[in-house]
Amino acid sequence: MSPTLDTITIDAVPSTTPLKVASDSSDITYATVTVSELASTFGDYTDLAVRTRGGKVLTVSEEWFAEADNLITAAAPISRKGHFTAKGAWFDGWETRRHGPLFDWCVIQLGFAGSIAGFEVDTAFFTGNHSPFVSVEGFAAPGHASASDVDGAQGSQSTGAGVPDSAEGWEKVDWVPVLPKVTLNPDSRHGFKLLSSPVMDTVFTHVRFRMYPDGGVSRLRVYGKVHQDLPQDKHQVFDLAAVAAGGQVEGYSDAHFGHPSNLLLPGRGHDMSDGWETKRSRAPGHVDWCNIKLGAAGHPTLIEVDTAHYMGNPPKALTLHGFRPEDVDRQHPIVLLDEAPVKPHRQHFFEIPSEISSGPAISSVKVIMIPDGGIKRVRVFGSQQWPAAPLPQGSTIGQAQPLPDEHTWNLLTIQAEPITKEAFAPWGQLVEVPVYDPNAISVNQGTAKKFSHLGQFVNLRSYALTPNSNPTSPDRANPDIDPAQANLAIFQCFKPVEGHEVGVKLLERHQYSSQMFVPMGGDGNGGYIVVVAKDRPVEGTPPDLSTLKAFTVKSSQGINYKPNVWHHPMLITGKPVTFLTITHESGVGKEDCNEYWFTKEAGVQGGVAAVVRF
């Protein structure tokens, strides 16, 4: 369905301060777009202003109630009804004070320079305080977009020569009308598709958004086509499909949960809302597909497929076909990938054989998901001419950029809880001054109090357990196990855990001895983390991760592990801690301490088998 063109009478925007008035806008025509038509109308365009693509608010007339930066948030606006800040009710948008000048304004630097096709203005949740009218003007900075770094992950704009660096500087800008003054309704989405304008093909770098006379708007989407800026060196390798290079989607089978144009965006995105995701298929042999016109015909050398954030719904595999410029009907595919398996929430890199890369240039690709699902990005790295130049030192092409949870998202994750005597009892004893102990006695002529039997000091290899205390005697009860003696030692732990989670790569245990840790000089500040797990009933098997527990412990508390309790080496938080420890040891390593590294369980997860958060 095409957008509806209303009969519109356009008045010139009134002259006002503090910014210079744009030129006449009476020769601009546009169509209003209903909410149901927004996706189809702007599906083939890019939001040039959104923050995740490098857009930023540079200056604003005022933002008393809510910041203008909210306008370019990628996610849809939300409501927190009943929540108040020091300045009033909280709103997810830009809101100014009442009774201001004739209009309020903000200047937005576009993430990518480009020609503008239309706008979406959302007043969601602004019911008694929305702005009744808005307009948009544009500015083209000298030497505008710089997409030479098209292999990078950010928007291509940068503030340079000819761009004001202050609010006063923006007063002198010759603003060009792009969208004349239009009417807004409260709590509504509004679409405006430009139909004719003297600046339809102008490449803008900045827009000025004005609200008349004041009020609030939740979101502003600036839809357009990214200005193409290709490397001057025809042999330089870059992403031929990137939106910054002029790549665009020309057709697709399904976009139920996310449009395939997202595949061409920079970065790894922020959630599943900014990737391509199709609905679930039920028919045998089903596949989903999209066609991508490359920004320039070229010779592909490397394919990147990113399934970031698609943890339970990536496709099983991906096929990628390339097509030569003369193959306009895409009847003679060049196979770049053939049912390549992909994993969830991960970057995948596939090198293209040199016999294909050195062949004829391709101008478009077809991405085929088998059978359906979601992917975040597809990058087709290559050069406009063959041979491709070597990658410069420090290039990010072909280099994984892991997300914080990329290797741990599908692992067992537990939250550490404050330690208590009762909770820690299956693993050992908590050593601390009791709040109440009826068995406590007064000692040292009444100057001290003694709390007894706080822990069980166990030695299963004691000389006392043998008929003959001589360690060399053949009459020992178990001559295959060496007797052990108490080792009073000091542990200086000097490297606190960074952040608020730690990956469990190994656990250790002392089969024949308890082990006590008591902080020295503890004052209650800082502390440490205790991670424990039970043994499996079958000898020689790994610790039972299903029993994994973690506790936060103050530096004024000590702990005493029971024999044969699997535990993580000491983890300290905040600052270094020195511990007094007591363990029975014989000097035979495998009898004194067993370590188990979760190499097999962790697989390709970087050696981490579980995650502890605190």
Side-chain angles (χ1 to χ4, degrees), residues 490-524:
I490 287 177
F491 275 39
Q492 286 189 320
C493 299
F494 51 82
K495 188 176 181 180
V497 175
E498 297 180 1
H500 295 281
E501 69 177 36
V502 62
V504 177
K505 296 184 177 182
L506 82 156
L507 293 177
E508 63 180 38
R509 67 176 177 180
H510 310 281
Q511 287 182 276
Y512 306 109
S513 174
S514 57
Q515 185 179 40
M516 182 181 293
F517 285 85
V518 179
M520 300 175 64
D523 57 6

PDB file of all heavy atoms in Angstrom, residues 490-524:
ATOM      1  N   ILE A 490      50.775 -18.841  55.280  1.00  0.00           N
ATOM      2  CA  ILE A 490      50.160 -17.554  54.957  1.00  0.00           C
ATOM      3  C   ILE A 490      49.962 -17.476  53.449  1.00  0.00           C
ATOM      4  O   ILE A 490      50.875 -17.790  52.681  1.00  0.00           O
ATOM      5  CB  ILE A 490      51.030 -16.377  55.446  1.00  0.00           C
ATOM      6  CG1 ILE A 490      50.939 -16.255  56.981  1.00  0.00           C
ATOM      7  CG2 ILE A 490      50.596 -15.070  54.792  1.00  0.00           C
ATOM      8  CD1 ILE A 490      51.816 -15.158  57.555  1.00  0.00           C
ATOM      9  N   PHE A 491      48.759 -17.123  53.041  1.00  0.00           N
ATOM     10  CA  PHE A 491      48.435 -16.863  51.632  1.00  0.00           C
ATOM     11  C   PHE A 491      48.286 -15.353  51.464  1.00  0.00           C
ATOM     12  O   PHE A 491      47.424 -14.747  52.104  1.00  0.00           O
ATOM     13  CB  PHE A 491      47.111 -17.532  51.238  1.00  0.00           C
ATOM     14  CG  PHE A 491      47.231 -18.973  50.825  1.00  0.00           C
ATOM     15  CD1 PHE A 491      48.096 -19.841  51.478  1.00  0.00           C
ATOM     16  CD2 PHE A 491      46.461 -19.479  49.796  1.00  0.00           C
ATOM     17  CE1 PHE A 491      48.193 -21.168  51.109  1.00  0.00           C
ATOM     18  CE2 PHE A 491      46.541 -20.811  49.413  1.00  0.00           C
ATOM     19  CZ  PHE A 491      47.420 -21.656  50.078  1.00  0.00           C
ATOM     20  N   GLN A 492      49.075 -14.770  50.603  1.00  0.00           N
ATOM     21  CA  GLN A 492      48.914 -13.361  50.259  1.00  0.00           C
ATOM     22  C   GLN A 492      48.224 -13.267  48.901  1.00  0.00           C
ATOM     23  O   GLN A 492      48.841 -13.529  47.877  1.00  0.00           O
ATOM     24  CB  GLN A 492      50.257 -12.631  50.234  1.00  0.00           C
ATOM     25  CG  GLN A 492      50.847 -12.370  51.611  1.00  0.00           C
ATOM     26  CD  GLN A 492      52.064 -11.471  51.551  1.00  0.00           C
ATOM     27  OE1 GLN A 492      52.886 -11.599  50.657  1.00  0.00           O
ATOM     28  NE2 GLN A 492      52.176 -10.564  52.515  1.00  0.00           N
ATOM     29  N   CYS A 493      46.960 -12.921  48.906  1.00  0.00           N
ATOM     30  CA  CYS A 493      46.185 -12.790  47.669  1.00  0.00           C
ATOM     31  C   CYS A 493      46.170 -11.315  47.287  1.00  0.00           C
ATOM     32  O   CYS A 493      45.584 -10.493  48.001  1.00  0.00           O
ATOM     33  CB  CYS A 493      44.767 -13.312  47.874  1.00  0.00           C
ATOM     34  SG  CYS A 493      44.712 -15.057  48.339  1.00  0.00           S
ATOM     35  N   PHE A 494      46.808 -10.982  46.184  1.00  0.00           N
ATOM     36  CA  PHE A 494      47.035  -9.572  45.856  1.00  0.00           C
ATOM     37  C   PHE A 494      46.348  -9.109  44.570  1.00  0.00           C
ATOM     38  O   PHE A 494      46.480  -7.953  44.183  1.00  0.00           O
ATOM     39  CB  PHE A 494      48.538  -9.286  45.734  1.00  0.00           C
ATOM     40  CG  PHE A 494      49.274 -10.234  44.839  1.00  0.00           C
ATOM     41  CD1 PHE A 494      49.292 -10.070  43.467  1.00  0.00           C
ATOM     42  CD2 PHE A 494      49.954 -11.319  45.382  1.00  0.00           C
ATOM     43  CE1 PHE A 494      49.963 -10.955  42.644  1.00  0.00           C
ATOM     44  CE2 PHE A 494      50.636 -12.213  44.569  1.00  0.00           C
ATOM     45  CZ  PHE A 494      50.635 -12.027  43.188  1.00  0.00           C
ATOM     46  N   LYS A 495      45.593  -9.980  43.862  1.00  0.00           N
ATOM     47  CA  LYS A 495      44.960  -9.574  42.621  1.00  0.00           C
ATOM     48  C   LYS A 495      43.451  -9.743  42.720  1.00  0.00           C
ATOM     49  O   LYS A 495      42.904 -10.822  42.493  1.00  0.00           O
ATOM     50  CB  LYS A 495      45.503 -10.395  41.444  1.00  0.00           C
ATOM     51  CG  LYS A 495      45.017  -9.875  40.091  1.00  0.00           C
ATOM     52  CD  LYS A 495      45.651 -10.637  38.948  1.00  0.00           C
ATOM     53  CE  LYS A 495      45.174 -10.081  37.599  1.00  0.00           C
ATOM     54  NZ  LYS A 495      45.768 -10.810  36.450  1.00  0.00           N
ATOM     55  N   PRO A 496      42.714  -8.672  43.052  1.00  0.00           N
ATOM     56  CA  PRO A 496      41.251  -8.775  43.143  1.00  0.00           C
ATOM     57  C   PRO A 496      40.621  -9.096  41.797  1.00  0.00           C
ATOM     58  O   PRO A 496      41.159  -8.785  40.729  1.00  0.00           O
ATOM     59  CB  PRO A 496      40.827  -7.381  43.629  1.00  0.00           C
ATOM     60  CG  PRO A 496      42.062  -6.779  44.228  1.00  0.00           C
ATOM     61  CD  PRO A 496      43.199  -7.348  43.446  1.00  0.00           C
ATOM     62  N   VAL A 497      39.464  -9.713  41.842  1.00  0.00           N
ATOM     63  CA  VAL A 497      38.704 -10.024  40.633  1.00  0.00           C
ATOM     64  C   VAL A 497      38.243  -8.719  39.991  1.00  0.00           C
ATOM     65  O   VAL A 497      37.777  -7.802  40.676  1.00  0.00           O
ATOM     66  CB  VAL A 497      37.489 -10.905  40.972  1.00  0.00           C
ATOM     67  CG1 VAL A 497      36.628 -11.125  39.737  1.00  0.00           C
ATOM     68  CG2 VAL A 497      37.955 -12.237  41.540  1.00  0.00           C
ATOM     69  N   GLU A 498      38.384  -8.617  38.675  1.00  0.00           N
ATOM     70  CA  GLU A 498      37.915  -7.442  37.958  1.00  0.00           C
ATOM     71  C   GLU A 498      36.455  -7.627  37.565  1.00  0.00           C
ATOM     72  O   GLU A 498      36.055  -8.691  37.110  1.00  0.00           O
ATOM     73  CB  GLU A 498      38.764  -7.194  36.708  1.00  0.00           C
ATOM     74  CG  GLU A 498      40.227  -6.894  37.014  1.00  0.00           C
ATOM     75  CD  GLU A 498      41.048  -6.663  35.755  1.00  0.00           C
ATOM     76  OE1 GLU A 498      40.450  -6.728  34.650  1.00  0.00           O
ATOM     77  OE2 GLU A 498      42.258  -6.423  35.866  1.00  0.00           O
ATOM     78  N   GLY A 499      35.656  -6.585  37.709  1.00  0.00           N
ATOM     79  CA  GLY A 499      34.250  -6.658  37.361  1.00  0.00           C
ATOM     80  C   GLY A 499      33.439  -7.354  38.429  1.00  0.00           C
ATOM     81  O   GLY A 499      33.839  -7.428  39.604  1.00  0.00           O
ATOM     82  N   HIS A 500      32.290  -7.892  38.012  1.00  0.00           N
ATOM     83  CA  HIS A 500      31.364  -8.505  38.959  1.00  0.00           C
ATOM     84  C   HIS A 500      30.971  -9.921  38.564  1.00  0.00           C
ATOM     85  O   HIS A 500      29.910 -10.396  38.943  1.00  0.00           O
ATOM     86  CB  HIS A 500      30.113  -7.629  39.091  1.00  0.00           C
ATOM     87  CG  HIS A 500      30.392  -6.285  39.688  1.00  0.00           C
ATOM     88  ND1 HIS A 500      30.564  -6.095  41.045  1.00  0.00           N
ATOM     89  CD2 HIS A 500      30.570  -5.071  39.111  1.00  0.00           C
ATOM     90  CE1 HIS A 500      30.812  -4.817  41.278  1.00  0.00           C
ATOM     91  NE2 HIS A 500      30.830  -4.177  40.122  1.00  0.00           N
ATOM     92  N   GLU A 501      31.831 -10.587  37.800  1.00  0.00           N
ATOM     93  CA  GLU A 501      31.620 -11.992  37.507  1.00  0.00           C
ATOM     94  C   GLU A 501      32.964 -12.647  37.228  1.00  0.00           C
ATOM     95  O   GLU A 501      33.928 -11.990  36.837  1.00  0.00           O
ATOM     96  CB  GLU A 501      30.651 -12.200  36.347  1.00  0.00           C
ATOM     97  CG  GLU A 501      31.162 -11.777  34.993  1.00  0.00           C
ATOM     98  CD  GLU A 501      30.146 -12.096  33.880  1.00  0.00           C
ATOM     99  OE1 GLU A 501      28.935 -11.989  34.126  1.00  0.00           O
ATOM    100  OE2 GLU A 501      30.599 -12.443  32.772  1.00  0.00           O
ATOM    101  N   VAL A 502      33.003 -13.948  37.447  1.00  0.00           N
ATOM    102  CA  VAL A 502      34.237 -14.704  37.224  1.00  0.00           C
ATOM    103  C   VAL A 502      33.876 -16.046  36.605  1.00  0.00           C
ATOM    104  O   VAL A 502      32.868 -16.657  36.952  1.00  0.00           O
ATOM    105  CB  VAL A 502      35.010 -14.899  38.556  1.00  0.00           C
ATOM    106  CG1 VAL A 502      34.202 -15.705  39.552  1.00  0.00           C
ATOM    107  CG2 VAL A 502      36.369 -15.539  38.315  1.00  0.00           C
ATOM    108  N   GLY A 503      34.689 -16.476  35.656  1.00  0.00           N
ATOM    109  CA  GLY A 503      34.485 -17.766  35.022  1.00  0.00           C
ATOM    110  C   GLY A 503      35.181 -18.872  35.791  1.00  0.00           C
ATOM    111  O   GLY A 503      36.330 -18.729  36.223  1.00  0.00           O
ATOM    112  N   VAL A 504      34.482 -19.972  35.978  1.00  0.00           N
ATOM    113  CA  VAL A 504      35.036 -21.116  36.703  1.00  0.00           C
ATOM    114  C   VAL A 504      35.706 -22.038  35.692  1.00  0.00           C
ATOM    115  O   VAL A 504      35.039 -22.682  34.879  1.00  0.00           O
ATOM    116  CB  VAL A 504      33.937 -21.861  37.472  1.00  0.00           C
ATOM    117  CG1 VAL A 504      34.516 -23.098  38.160  1.00  0.00           C
ATOM    118  CG2 VAL A 504      33.283 -20.944  38.486  1.00  0.00           C
ATOM    119  N   LYS A 505      37.043 -22.088  35.719  1.00  0.00           N
ATOM    120  CA  LYS A 505      37.800 -22.946  34.816  1.00  0.00           C
ATOM    121  C   LYS A 505      38.311 -24.204  35.508  1.00  0.00           C
ATOM    122  O   LYS A 505      38.614 -25.191  34.843  1.00  0.00           O
ATOM    123  CB  LYS A 505      38.985 -22.174  34.231  1.00  0.00           C
ATOM    124  CG  LYS A 505      38.604 -21.000  33.356  1.00  0.00           C
ATOM    125  CD  LYS A 505      39.833 -20.348  32.749  1.00  0.00           C
ATOM    126  CE  LYS A 505      39.460 -19.211  31.818  1.00  0.00           C
ATOM    127  NZ  LYS A 505      40.652 -18.594  31.179  1.00  0.00           N
ATOM    128  N   LEU A 506      38.433 -24.144  36.829  1.00  0.00           N
ATOM    129  CA  LEU A 506      38.915 -25.302  37.564  1.00  0.00           C
ATOM    130  C   LEU A 506      38.369 -25.281  38.981  1.00  0.00           C
ATOM    131  O   LEU A 506      37.946 -24.239  39.481  1.00  0.00           O
ATOM    132  CB  LEU A 506      40.445 -25.344  37.614  1.00  0.00           C
ATOM    133  CG  LEU A 506      41.131 -24.468  38.692  1.00  0.00           C
ATOM    134  CD1 LEU A 506      42.500 -25.025  39.022  1.00  0.00           C
ATOM    135  CD2 LEU A 506      41.228 -23.029  38.258  1.00  0.00           C
ATOM    136  N   LEU A 507      38.390 -26.445  39.614  1.00  0.00           N
ATOM    137  CA  LEU A 507      38.123 -26.579  41.043  1.00  0.00           C
ATOM    138  C   LEU A 507      39.194 -27.490  41.626  1.00  0.00           C
ATOM    139  O   LEU A 507      39.803 -28.290  40.912  1.00  0.00           O
ATOM    140  CB  LEU A 507      36.732 -27.167  41.300  1.00  0.00           C
ATOM    141  CG  LEU A 507      35.523 -26.307  40.916  1.00  0.00           C
ATOM    142  CD1 LEU A 507      34.236 -27.072  41.157  1.00  0.00           C
ATOM    143  CD2 LEU A 507      35.503 -24.988  41.669  1.00  0.00           C
ATOM    144  N   GLU A 508      39.420 -27.366  42.911  1.00  0.00           N
ATOM    145  CA  GLU A 508      40.410 -28.214  43.588  1.00  0.00           C
ATOM    146  C   GLU A 508      39.795 -28.766  44.865  1.00  0.00           C
ATOM    147  O   GLU A 508      38.780 -28.271  45.355  1.00  0.00           O
ATOM    148  CB  GLU A 508      41.679 -27.416  43.922  1.00  0.00           C
ATOM    149  CG  GLU A 508      41.437 -26.269  44.887  1.00  0.00           C
ATOM    150  CD  GLU A 508      42.717 -25.502  45.198  1.00  0.00           C
ATOM    151  OE1 GLU A 508      43.537 -25.311  44.280  1.00  0.00           O
ATOM    152  OE2 GLU A 508      42.876 -25.086  46.363  1.00  0.00           O
ATOM    153  N   ARG A 509      40.429 -29.812  45.402  1.00  0.00           N
ATOM    154  CA  ARG A 509      39.963 -30.390  46.665  1.00  0.00           C
ATOM    155  C   ARG A 509      41.148 -30.977  47.428  1.00  0.00           C
ATOM    156  O   ARG A 509      42.202 -31.273  46.847  1.00  0.00           O
ATOM    157  CB  ARG A 509      38.924 -31.475  46.407  1.00  0.00           C
ATOM    158  CG  ARG A 509      39.499 -32.710  45.717  1.00  0.00           C
ATOM    159  CD  ARG A 509      38.470 -33.817  45.569  1.00  0.00           C
ATOM    160  NE  ARG A 509      39.044 -34.952  44.827  1.00  0.00           N
ATOM    161  CZ  ARG A 509      38.375 -36.070  44.554  1.00  0.00           C
ATOM    162  NH1 ARG A 509      37.117 -36.206  44.966  1.00  0.00           N
ATOM    163  NH2 ARG A 509      38.946 -37.050  43.873  1.00  0.00           N
ATOM    164  N   HIS A 510      40.949 -31.164  48.737  1.00  0.00           N
ATOM    165  CA  HIS A 510      41.929 -31.808  49.615  1.00  0.00           C
ATOM    166  C   HIS A 510      41.215 -33.017  50.201  1.00  0.00           C
ATOM    167  O   HIS A 510      40.405 -32.883  51.127  1.00  0.00           O
ATOM    168  CB  HIS A 510      42.403 -30.839  50.687  1.00  0.00           C
ATOM    169  CG  HIS A 510      42.838 -29.513  50.126  1.00  0.00           C
ATOM    170  ND1 HIS A 510      44.060 -29.320  49.533  1.00  0.00           N
ATOM    171  CD2 HIS A 510      42.177 -28.327  50.024  1.00  0.00           C
ATOM    172  CE1 HIS A 510      44.141 -28.070  49.101  1.00  0.00           C
ATOM    173  NE2 HIS A 510      43.010 -27.448  49.397  1.00  0.00           N
ATOM    174  N   GLN A 511      41.485 -34.195  49.639  1.00  0.00           N
ATOM    175  CA  GLN A 511      40.711 -35.384  49.974  1.00  0.00           C
ATOM    176  C   GLN A 511      40.815 -35.786  51.433  1.00  0.00           C
ATOM    177  O   GLN A 511      39.864 -36.321  52.004  1.00  0.00           O
ATOM    178  CB  GLN A 511      41.165 -36.558  49.105  1.00  0.00           C
ATOM    179  CG  GLN A 511      40.718 -36.482  47.658  1.00  0.00           C
ATOM    180  CD  GLN A 511      41.157 -37.702  46.880  1.00  0.00           C
ATOM    181  OE1 GLN A 511      42.278 -37.779  46.387  1.00  0.00           O
ATOM    182  NE2 GLN A 511      40.261 -38.678  46.770  1.00  0.00           N
ATOM    183  N   TYR A 512      41.993 -35.530  52.048  1.00  0.00           N
ATOM    184  CA  TYR A 512      42.243 -36.097  53.370  1.00  0.00           C
ATOM    185  C   TYR A 512      42.376 -35.038  54.452  1.00  0.00           C
ATOM    186  O   TYR A 512      42.740 -35.362  55.581  1.00  0.00           O
ATOM    187  CB  TYR A 512      43.521 -36.942  53.327  1.00  0.00           C
ATOM    188  CG  TYR A 512      43.496 -37.999  52.250  1.00  0.00           C
ATOM    189  CD1 TYR A 512      44.297 -37.870  51.119  1.00  0.00           C
ATOM    190  CD2 TYR A 512      42.672 -39.115  52.362  1.00  0.00           C
ATOM    191  CE1 TYR A 512      44.276 -38.834  50.111  1.00  0.00           C
ATOM    192  CE2 TYR A 512      42.651 -40.074  51.368  1.00  0.00           C
ATOM    193  CZ  TYR A 512      43.452 -39.938  50.250  1.00  0.00           C
ATOM    194  OH  TYR A 512      43.420 -40.892  49.269  1.00  0.00           O
ATOM    195  N   SER A 513      42.077 -33.779  54.133  1.00  0.00           N
ATOM    196  CA  SER A 513      42.283 -32.729  55.132  1.00  0.00           C
ATOM    197  C   SER A 513      41.251 -31.627  54.980  1.00  0.00           C
ATOM    198  O   SER A 513      40.792 -31.315  53.875  1.00  0.00           O
ATOM    199  CB  SER A 513      43.689 -32.124  54.988  1.00  0.00           C
ATOM    200  OG  SER A 513      43.852 -31.016  55.857  1.00  0.00           O
ATOM    201  N   SER A 514      40.882 -31.054  56.112  1.00  0.00           N
ATOM    202  CA  SER A 514      40.152 -29.790  56.079  1.00  0.00           C
ATOM    203  C   SER A 514      41.139 -28.698  55.691  1.00  0.00           C
ATOM    204  O   SER A 514      42.354 -28.898  55.710  1.00  0.00           O
ATOM    205  CB  SER A 514      39.537 -29.499  57.447  1.00  0.00           C
ATOM    206  OG  SER A 514      40.552 -29.471  58.441  1.00  0.00           O
ATOM    207  N   GLN A 515      40.626 -27.532  55.329  1.00  0.00           N
ATOM    208  CA  GLN A 515      41.493 -26.394  55.010  1.00  0.00           C
ATOM    209  C   GLN A 515      40.817 -25.117  55.502  1.00  0.00           C
ATOM    210  O   GLN A 515      39.681 -24.817  55.112  1.00  0.00           O
ATOM    211  CB  GLN A 515      41.773 -26.288  53.518  1.00  0.00           C
ATOM    212  CG  GLN A 515      42.778 -25.177  53.179  1.00  0.00           C
ATOM    213  CD  GLN A 515      43.079 -25.077  51.703  1.00  0.00           C
ATOM    214  OE1 GLN A 515      42.186 -25.205  50.866  1.00  0.00           O
ATOM    215  NE2 GLN A 515      44.335 -24.833  51.355  1.00  0.00           N
ATOM    216  N   MET A 516      41.532 -24.394  56.342  1.00  0.00           N
ATOM    217  CA  MET A 516      40.977 -23.199  56.947  1.00  0.00           C
ATOM    218  C   MET A 516      41.636 -21.951  56.384  1.00  0.00           C
ATOM    219  O   MET A 516      42.857 -21.907  56.178  1.00  0.00           O
ATOM    220  CB  MET A 516      41.149 -23.229  58.468  1.00  0.00           C
ATOM    221  CG  MET A 516      40.552 -22.030  59.192  1.00  0.00           C
ATOM    222  SD  MET A 516      40.803 -22.113  60.990  1.00  0.00           S
ATOM    223  CE  MET A 516      39.762 -23.519  61.396  1.00  0.00           C
ATOM    224  N   PHE A 517      40.814 -20.924  56.096  1.00  0.00           N
ATOM    225  CA  PHE A 517      41.293 -19.608  55.669  1.00  0.00           C
ATOM    226  C   PHE A 517      40.748 -18.566  56.640  1.00  0.00           C
ATOM    227  O   PHE A 517      39.527 -18.445  56.803  1.00  0.00           O
ATOM    228  CB  PHE A 517      40.810 -19.270  54.255  1.00  0.00           C
ATOM    229  CG  PHE A 517      41.533 -19.996  53.160  1.00  0.00           C
ATOM    230  CD1 PHE A 517      41.138 -21.264  52.774  1.00  0.00           C
ATOM    231  CD2 PHE A 517      42.604 -19.404  52.508  1.00  0.00           C
ATOM    232  CE1 PHE A 517      41.796 -21.935  51.762  1.00  0.00           C
ATOM    233  CE2 PHE A 517      43.280 -20.065  51.491  1.00  0.00           C
ATOM    234  CZ  PHE A 517      42.875 -21.337  51.115  1.00  0.00           C
ATOM    235  N   VAL A 518      41.637 -17.831  57.280  1.00  0.00           N
ATOM    236  CA  VAL A 518      41.235 -16.760  58.192  1.00  0.00           C
ATOM    237  C   VAL A 518      41.959 -15.480  57.789  1.00  0.00           C
ATOM    238  O   VAL A 518      43.201 -15.418  57.846  1.00  0.00           O
ATOM    239  CB  VAL A 518      41.567 -17.107  59.658  1.00  0.00           C
ATOM    240  CG1 VAL A 518      41.158 -15.955  60.577  1.00  0.00           C
ATOM    241  CG2 VAL A 518      40.872 -18.392  60.077  1.00  0.00           C
ATOM    242  N   PRO A 519      41.228 -14.438  57.355  1.00  0.00           N
ATOM    243  CA  PRO A 519      41.881 -13.179  56.988  1.00  0.00           C
ATOM    244  C   PRO A 519      42.602 -12.573  58.185  1.00  0.00           C
ATOM    245  O   PRO A 519      42.107 -12.630  59.312  1.00  0.00           O
ATOM    246  CB  PRO A 519      40.719 -12.288  56.528  1.00  0.00           C
ATOM    247  CG  PRO A 519      39.611 -13.226  56.205  1.00  0.00           C
ATOM    248  CD  PRO A 519      39.762 -14.384  57.144  1.00  0.00           C
ATOM    249  N   MET A 520      43.759 -12.003  57.924  1.00  0.00           N
ATOM    250  CA  MET A 520      44.546 -11.368  58.983  1.00  0.00           C
ATOM    251  C   MET A 520      44.331  -9.855  58.922  1.00  0.00           C
ATOM    252  O   MET A 520      44.517  -9.233  57.884  1.00  0.00           O
ATOM    253  CB  MET A 520      46.030 -11.686  58.804  1.00  0.00           C
ATOM    254  CG  MET A 520      46.332 -13.174  58.857  1.00  0.00           C
ATOM    255  SD  MET A 520      48.069 -13.568  58.509  1.00  0.00           S
ATOM    256  CE  MET A 520      48.880 -12.777  59.901  1.00  0.00           C
ATOM    257  N   GLY A 521      43.897  -9.300  60.046  1.00  0.00           N
ATOM    258  CA  GLY A 521      43.685  -7.854  60.087  1.00  0.00           C
ATOM    259  C   GLY A 521      42.419  -7.425  59.396  1.00  0.00           C
ATOM    260  O   GLY A 521      42.290  -6.274  58.978  1.00  0.00           O
ATOM    261  N   GLY A 522      41.479  -8.358  59.228  1.00  0.00           N
ATOM    262  CA  GLY A 522      40.241  -8.011  58.538  1.00  0.00           C
ATOM    263  C   GLY A 522      39.448  -6.966  59.289  1.00  0.00           C
ATOM    264  O   GLY A 522      39.298  -7.042  60.507  1.00  0.00           O
ATOM    265  N   ASP A 523      38.939  -5.964  58.575  1.00  0.00           N
ATOM    266  CA  ASP A 523      38.178  -4.892  59.206  1.00  0.00           C
ATOM    267  C   ASP A 523      36.756  -4.826  58.690  1.00  0.00           C
ATOM    268  O   ASP A 523      36.030  -3.864  58.950  1.00  0.00           O
ATOM    269  CB  ASP A 523      38.868  -3.539  58.966  1.00  0.00           C
ATOM    270  CG  ASP A 523      39.069  -3.245  57.486  1.00  0.00           C
ATOM    271  OD1 ASP A 523      38.577  -4.032  56.663  1.00  0.00           O
ATOM    272  OD2 ASP A 523      39.712  -2.229  57.170  1.00  0.00           O
ATOM    273  N   GLY A 524      36.328  -5.855  57.938  1.00  0.00           N
ATOM    274  CA  GLY A 524      34.972  -5.851  57.406  1.00  0.00           C
ATOM    275  C   GLY A 524      34.857  -5.227  56.040  1.00  0.00           C
ATOM    276  O   GLY A 524      33.819  -5.336  55.398  1.00  0.00           O
TER     277      GLY A 524
END
